[in-house]
Amino acid sequence: MQDIQTQDDLYLLVDEFYKKLLADDAISYIFTEVVKIKLEEHLPILVTFWSQAILGTGGYTKNLTQIHLDVNAQSYLSPELFKIWLHHFYAAVDENFQGPKAEQIKTQALSIGTIMQIKIAQQKDN
């Protein structure tokens, strides 16, 4: 298995990841009922985000934290949902890639999930 090297690799990763999320009834409703994402529009945005984070390409300009806080305002993003999200993300990485970039993207996903949970808890306390 190869490491993550290109944006095509990242597209494969996020596509596999979303297949897992959408097949899991415990979390799929966030994407189908709450946000109602259009995958053909959403996946290139995610590729740009991860490409900037892992490959250093730049180009992602959205406020990731605010996007998730807005979703949380519509439907609570519980710690359990983050565990499910992370489980599927790790599985998508591990089934398709191995190497330093694969490990880096998993570490970054854990960091992002942790920060989001802290921000959500802070918002709830205010």
Side-chain angles (χ1 to χ4, degrees), residues 7 13 17 61 69 72 93 104 122:
Q7 287 190 336
L13 172 60
F17 173 51
T61 58
L69 290 175
N72 183 66
V93 173
Q104 180 186 352
Q122 288 172 341

Side-chain angles (χ1 to χ4, degrees), residues 7-121:
Q7 287 190 336
D8 287 342
D9 292 340
L10 291 168
Y11 191 91
L12 170 72
L13 172 60
V14 295
D15 188 51
E16 291 298 314
F17 173 51
Y18 268 79
K19 285 178 186 171
K20 293 176 182 308
L21 289 175
L22 294 172
D24 186 336
D25 291 339
I27 196 169
S28 63
Y29 71 94
I30 295 290
F31 305 97
T32 59
E33 296 169 29
V34 178
V35 181
K36 298 180 183 168
I37 62 165
K38 295 181 175 83
L39 273 181
E40 65 277 3
E41 295 171 11
H42 192 59
L43 291 185
I45 294 168
L46 291 172
V47 169
T48 300
F49 171 80
W50 285 113
S51 182
Q52 177 171 300
I54 300 302
L55 303 177
T57 56
Y60 185 81
T61 58
K62 298 180 183 297
N63 183 332
L64 183 68
T65 302
Q66 192 58 54
I67 291 167
H68 288 84
L69 290 175
D70 291 348
V71 172
N72 183 66
Q74 297 174 54
S75 181
Y76 177 54
L77 298 177
S78 68
E80 184 57 35
L81 287 173
F82 280 99
K83 286 179 190 162
I84 295 166
W85 177 87
L86 198 61
H87 168 78
H88 289 309
F89 192 85
Y90 280 14
V93 173
D94 291 342
E95 290 167 9
N96 293 283
F97 301 100
Q98 66 180 33
K101 296 274 188 218
E103 293 307 311
Q104 180 186 352
I105 203 169
K106 290 190 299 185
T107 300
Q108 194 138 3
L110 175 60
S111 296
I112 290 166
T114 301
I115 290 166
M116 292 299 167
Q117 289 179 75
I118 291 167
K119 296 286 187 185
I120 287 167

